[in-house]
Structure formats: structure tokens, C-alpha cells
Amino acid sequence: MKKILLLGGGGFIGSAIAEALAKRGDFVTVPTRDRERAKHLLLLPTCEVVSANIRDPDTLDNLIRNHDVVINLVGILNGDFESVHVAFPALVAECCARHHVQRLVHISAIGADVGGPSQYLRSKGRGEAAVAEIAERTGLAVTVFRPSVVYGEHDKFLNMFMGLVKFFPVIPLGSPEATFQVVWVQDVARAVTMAIDLPQTIGKTYPLVGPKVYTLRQLIEFVIQISGKRRMVVGLGAGLSALQATVFEFLPGKIMTRDNVASMRTPNTSSEPFPAIFGQPAAMEDTVYAYMHAGSGGRGRYQHFREGIPADSRHSPDHKS
């Protein structure tokens, strides 16, 4: 049993990783300022949710000193990128090195590049560079993952499209030809969990991508198909895409910003496939149809995937997803 600190563990991806770690018997600590947001993790037998402000350096240091492994998932799509994507990962790495933590897993993003077209991608690139510098200087064992857009039952990507499809007969779509290699959250959780025990992953950066490249238009057309509705998609050019994002920035939730549009100029894909060392990634069509049409509700739907059996009755009993 390892003692693992999961920073950002109360979110969509973190919850899947916490489940995977608890399933194999690791003791997982998830610090959060909002216990209500992470209360579902209390059902996991070896997971502890603690009230803590990880942005406070002393609090973070005290948390890290008591753990064998630290996984940093903290990230934002808009806001103070420098603080969250650069300064915070550097602080985490320094604390890990000071307390001789066995492993640090840093979650970055596909397209992270200090010279990227958006603040988001540039900050992700600088965060990786900061962690790498500290690892080289101190000998800290680090593994970096660069996931594409991650989808799953509770994601904010395909589910956002499903909400649009539900209420609007015509979908004006900005950046329709932007490309994505979306990856299933359970595949991400498996890779992160496995990497902790594999010494050959130390010092490596891995892309986490699905088996197929889609345009944004293809993704929303797929959502329309599984919704069973008839909807029209109207692709917007560069100018209208920017205008749409400007309007959305002032709406609650900021579902799209101009910086997000700038990020999509870089393909959200990888020339390297999902690392074979972590198995094969699932096909989006199979997994999405399964969890959207599963007979059981809530978190019980995941049991089908844990056992490797699709929830959808169209699949044969011995079919593996």
C-alpha cells in the first residue's frame, strides 16, 4: 500500500484516478476546500477527503511530507494561468524534492509549449519546464502525462454538447475543423496508476490520446447521433468563432473564451499513439454509447467498465471494451 496525495482529486479526472488507486489498495488523500464537491470519494474504502487550502505553501508542504507519491492534476481553462500552471507545479515539485517523495506525476496537456498560440498552452509548457528543472537539480523522480481532451460519463466536454443539442435546433459551432484525439477517463486513470510502479517511466513524458482523430464538427455530430435528435450544425469561420468566444466569456461558466479558441489552432492530437506500456485505449463510440445507455444510474455505471463488460445489451456477453 502506497500513501498517495492526489491534488485536484475531487474533479472529473481525479475521481477516476482515486477510484483506480483505491481499487488496488493504495491509501489516497484528496485535499479540498469544498468537501461537498468530493463527498462521493468518501465511499472509497482507502480514500480520505481532507479540508485544506493547497494554495497555502505551509499547508501543501505538510500534506506532501506524509506521502510516498504525489499526483498533481490541478489545472484551469481560464483565469490566472501563471499561478496555477507554472508557480503551483514548481512549488509542488520543490516540496516533493525536499521531503524525498518517491514519485511525482505531473498532468500537463497535449500541445503544451512555451511558444504556443494561447496563454493556456504556454503556461502548461512553462509548468513542465519548471518541474523538469527541479527534477534535474534535485533528482526528483517525475513522470509527465499530456492528455488530449478527456471524456467520460461526468465530463464537461461531450456533456456540454449534449446540453446544447437538447435545447437548440441549430448549433453555431466555432472552430469546427479543430482536431482532437479524445481519450477515455478510465484509460487516463489506468496509465497514471500503472506509471507509479514502473521505474522505466521516470523522466518520461507521455501523450495520452485515443485511437482516432476527430474534428470538432464530427464530435458534435456524434453527440447528435446518440441523442436521437435532428439538429443542424453551422460551422463558423475564424472571425465569427472569435466573436462567439468573446460573447461566451461574459456568460456564466465561460463555456468558451478567446484563449480557448487560440488553443484550438494547435491540433489536440499526437503523432505518437497511446503508450503501449499502459495497454490499448478504448474507442469513443463503444464507451460513450455504453455509459449513456447503461441501465444503472450514477456511479454504479462504472462497474461495467471495471469488469471489462460493456453495459449496452447490444454487445455480446464475452465482448471486451
Side-chain angles (χ1 to χ4, degrees):
M1 175 183 285
K2 287 183 170 65
K3 295 173 66 178
I4 299 176
L5 180 64
L6 191 54
L7 302 171
F12 162 61
I13 301 174
S15 296
I17 293 174
E19 289 185 55
L21 292 170
K23 183 180 179 183
R24 71 179 203 165
D26 290 321
F27 182 81
V28 185
T29 302
V30 178
T32 178
R33 286 187 293 182
D34 184 3
R35 283 178 59 86
E36 186 68 19
R37 183 169 178 258
K39 67 179 182 179
H40 58 280
L41 297 177
L42 296 173
L43 299 174
L44 302 176
T46 59
C47 184
E48 180 183 13
V49 178
V50 298
S51 296
N53 177 12
I54 60 175
R55 301 294 182 87
D56 177 68
D58 291 336
T59 299
L60 181 66
D61 189 77
N62 286 329
L63 283 166
I64 287 176
R65 76 166 69 237
N66 295 316
H67 291 85
D68 305 311
V69 176
V70 175
I71 301 171
N72 180 24
L73 285 157
V74 177
I76 55 175
L77 291 176
N78 54 75
D80 188 353
F81 293 120
E82 190 70 22
S83 173
V84 177
H85 292 166
V86 185
F88 184 73
L91 178 61
V92 169
E94 290 284 11
C95 290
C96 287
R98 181 163 53 251
H99 296 297
H100 306 289
V101 167
Q102 295 173 15
R103 298 293 297 274
L104 169 62
V105 177
H106 176 68
I107 309 299
S108 184
I110 283 287
D113 184 349
V114 295
S118 67
Q119 294 181 55
Y120 173 82
L121 292 176
R122 291 193 295 271
S123 66
K124 282 290 190 178
R126 290 196 297 272
E128 283 189 21
V131 171
E133 187 278 325
I134 294 166
E136 182 177 1
R137 171 165 47 86
T138 64
L140 177 65
V142 177
T143 301
V144 176
F145 286 107
R146 291 178 163 188
S148 179
V149 172
V150 182
Y151 72 89
E153 184 174 7
H154 302 289
D155 69 45
K156 293 182 180 180
F157 185 65
L158 295 184
N159 279 308
M160 177 186 70
F161 290 157
M162 184 60 74
L164 293 174
V165 167
K166 181 178 180 180
F167 294 108
F168 298 101
V170 178
I171 312 296
L173 186 63
S175 305
E177 302 309 312
T179 52
F180 300 84
Q181 212 165 341
V182 294
V183 60
W184 190 31
V185 68
Q186 299 297 328
D187 290 330
V188 172
R190 183 178 71 251
V192 171
T193 303
M194 290 178 65
I196 291 169
D197 294 327
L198 298 175
Q200 61 266 46
T201 65
I202 295 174
K204 299 291 182 61
T205 297
Y206 295 103
L208 294 181
V209 293
K212 185 177 177 180
V213 174
Y214 304 87
T215 64
L216 191 57
R217 179 188 290 274
Q218 288 172 328
L219 288 170
I220 197 166
E221 287 175 347
F222 170 71
V223 171
I224 292 171
Q225 176 187 342
I226 61 177
S227 74
K229 299 183 181 295
R230 295 175 63 88
R231 297 290 186 257
M232 177 184 295
V233 179
V234 178
L236 304 180
L240 287 177
S241 294
L243 178 60
Q244 182 187 60
T246 302
V247 173
F248 283 167
E249 283 186 25
F250 293 96
L251 298 179
K254 289 190 177 182
I255 62 174
M256 182 66 67
T257 68
R258 283 167 289 180
D259 197 69
N260 298 152
V261 172
S263 290
M264 286 191 285
R265 295 177 196 155
T266 296
N268 204 268
T269 62
S270 172
S271 58
E272 301 176 39
F274 189 93
I277 193 173
F278 305 124
Q280 295 298 315
M284 180 188 69
E285 290 79 4
D286 291 340
T287 50
V288 172
Y289 189 91
Y291 67 67
M292 283 191 171
H293 292 268
S296 59
R299 303 182 68 77
R301 297 181 183 180
Y302 287 124
Q303 188 60 34
H304 297 287
F305 302 122
R306 293 193 183 108
E307 302 302 326
I309 303 173
D312 180 48
S313 60
R314 296 183 309 162
H315 295 268
S316 61
D318 62 346
H319 176 79
K320 299 295 182 182
S321 61

